[in-house]
Amino acid sequence: VAVSAGNESNSVLDFPAQQETIIQHFNQITAGNIMKMSYLHPEENDYFFDDADALVDWASANGLSVHGHTFIWHSDYQVPDWMTGYGGDFAALLNDHVTTIASHFADTVVESWDVVNEGIDETEDDCYRDSLFYQRVGADYIENAFRAADAADPDAELYYNDYSIEDGNSDKFACLLQIVEGLLADSVPIDGVGFQMHVQIDSPDTGAMAIAFQEIVDLGLKVKITEMDVPLNNPYSGEPFPQYTEFTAAEAELQKQRYHDIVETYLDVVPVDQRGGITVWGLWDSDSWLLSMPERAGSDDWPLLFTAPGPEGPFAPKPALQGFGDALMGM
Ligand code: XIL
């Protein structure tokens, strides 16, 4: 499950009820924000590890592993200003960035990383997003990052992570395949593909997901679902938005089925030794990042597995959790 920490509101480190629920139901955490570029590398010659270390220590003390997110991500708010303006050797800069962070966590419970996040743009002829990294280094920034991470932490599992690659028939998935096959052809140390899985209640269908998972499995790579959430309202459907203004028993049932079907598809298609696991992007509904997306402005949603606690907790499991669990148990 993804968690908040550091100076974020609802930090797991100051929230006993949250800790209890996580320790009971999950075995791995991801930092929802505080291990991204601008947090860990605020100035060219200054890395800041205190908040991440505190989170990793807490995970370790409670028997949880950590999935690292993420060394390289184009998102404006995560590229530090000093990096945008950097005039020196940009490839060397990224190499230092990845090497320093990967080395720092090499001997901890951080066992895997999203090495590059969201590097694809399927509307570009060559499939690469026209990010700062691409502009300064070219497509090689991706393979460079994998090689640097592997050299610094040979035991870590290294993922390429992206959104909207869950539909195996899509142009974006075709781009993913092309890029990943290229990395493999060049013997780049990539272990798997992270599917963010920010899906809609009714799309993509699980048949299309099965195609995508199978292609990655056939390449001998791991499949990890890294940021799953299932909102009820779909701002991209062309229908009046929001479609739902209340979370009724019927909606809860619909969502339970959707969580079930996605987990079932994952287990059906991905062999045990190629499963990187499944992460949900947040613990309880009202804490979901989706609620603050501009596209969803003004509408409520209920995308996660738990509802908020009362003042003392605990968090209440939703039918979606049962759907997830049923699938895990083959029911
Ligand atoms: C989101 C966080 O959840 C928000 O708190 C933040 O404001 C923006 O980033 N894809 C990713 C994640 O890879 O890092 C994003 O996380 C959600 C989309």
Side-chain angles (χ1 to χ4, degrees):
V1 63
V3 297
S4 299
N7 295 327
E8 295 184 283
S9 53
N10 294 321
S11 165
V12 65
L13 299 182
D14 314 321
F15 202 152
Q18 193 188 156
Q19 296 183 5
E20 209 175 294
T21 305
I22 288 174
I23 292 164
Q24 182 182 350
H25 291 278
F26 299 88
N27 62 5
Q28 182 176 76
I29 58 167
T30 305
N33 282 302
I34 68 153
M35 289 170 74
K36 292 171 179 171
M37 306 185 83
S38 66
Y39 289 83
L40 295 186
H41 197 172
E43 300 294 339
E44 183 185 347
N45 296 310
D46 184 20
Y47 287 85
F48 174 70
F49 289 117
D50 294 0
D51 288 346
D53 286 347
L55 181 64
V56 171
D57 287 348
W58 176 78
S60 174
N62 290 287
L64 305 164
S65 64
V66 176
H67 176 63
H69 178 79
T70 171
F71 295 132
I72 299 183
W73 187 29
H74 68 92
S75 184
D76 277 349
Y77 97 109
Q78 274 312 312
V79 179
D81 286 345
W82 67 265
M83 199 181 269
T84 311
Y86 189 71
D89 181 341
F90 209 89
L93 155 77
L94 283 181
N95 191 59
D96 179 72
H97 172 81
V98 174
T99 302
T100 304
I101 298 171
S103 311
H104 180 83
F105 293 103
D107 295 323
T108 69
V109 294
V110 178
E111 59 180 34
S112 51
W113 279 96
D114 294 327
V115 175
V116 173
N117 192 32
E118 304 181 352
I120 294 173
D121 180 347
E122 73 283 13
T123 67
E124 299 282 353
D125 288 341
D126 65 357
C127 290
Y128 291 100
R129 181 188 291 275
D130 190 25
S131 64
L132 177 70
F133 323 113
Y134 180 81
Q135 288 168 10
R136 299 288 178 85
V137 181
D140 282 356
Y141 85 88
I142 297 181
E143 78 164 84
N144 294 349
F146 277 92
R147 293 193 199 282
D150 184 58
D153 184 0
D155 295 332
E157 275 185 5
L158 304 179
Y159 288 88
Y160 174 80
N161 195 55
D162 217 321
Y163 65 93
S164 294
I165 54 171
E166 295 83 18
D167 178 348
N169 300 313
S170 65
D171 291 346
K172 188 156 183 182
F173 184 77
C175 278
L176 174 82
L177 260 191
Q178 182 183 314
I179 288 174
V180 168
E181 284 173 353
L183 295 175
L184 289 172
D186 291 340
S187 305
V188 174
I190 177 175
D191 296 295
V193 171
F195 290 78
Q196 290 188 6
M197 202 57 80
H198 295 296
V199 293
Q200 306 302 330
I201 192 73
D202 54 0
S203 73
D205 65 60
T206 51
M209 285 180 197
I211 291 170
F213 293 160
Q214 188 66 57
E215 293 272 13
I216 300 307
V217 166
D218 290 345
L219 293 176
L221 294 173
K222 291 200 166 190
V223 175
K224 188 172 176 76
I225 294 177
T226 52
E227 307 183 13
M228 185 172 184
D229 42 32
V230 182
L232 267 294
N233 287 312
N234 182 351
Y236 318 105
S237 68
E239 291 166 34
F241 179 85
Q243 294 89 25
Y244 302 95
T245 52
E246 266 185 288
F247 190 64
T248 64
E251 271 88 69
E253 198 52 39
L254 202 62
Q255 184 185 51
K256 173 185 178 184
Q257 189 69 45
R258 180 69 168 153
Y259 265 100
H260 172 275
D261 293 350
I262 295 172
V263 175
E264 180 182 62
T265 302
Y266 178 76
L267 298 176
D268 280 351
V269 177
V270 185
V272 177
D273 61 356
Q274 283 174 273
R275 291 178 195 155
I278 303 179
T279 297
V280 283
W281 204 246
L283 185 64
W284 71 101
D285 285 341
S286 57
D287 197 44
S288 168
W289 76 297
L290 292 172
L291 301 185
S292 49
M293 280 182 91
E295 297 95 303
R296 297 175 173 279
S299 80
D300 204 356
D301 218 304
W302 313 269
L304 297 170
L305 300 177
F306 293 84
T307 52
E312 300 297 327
F315 286 78
K318 293 165 59 191
L321 182 71
Q322 187 66 49
F324 196 124
D326 286 349
L328 290 178
M329 292 185 292
M331 292 161 65

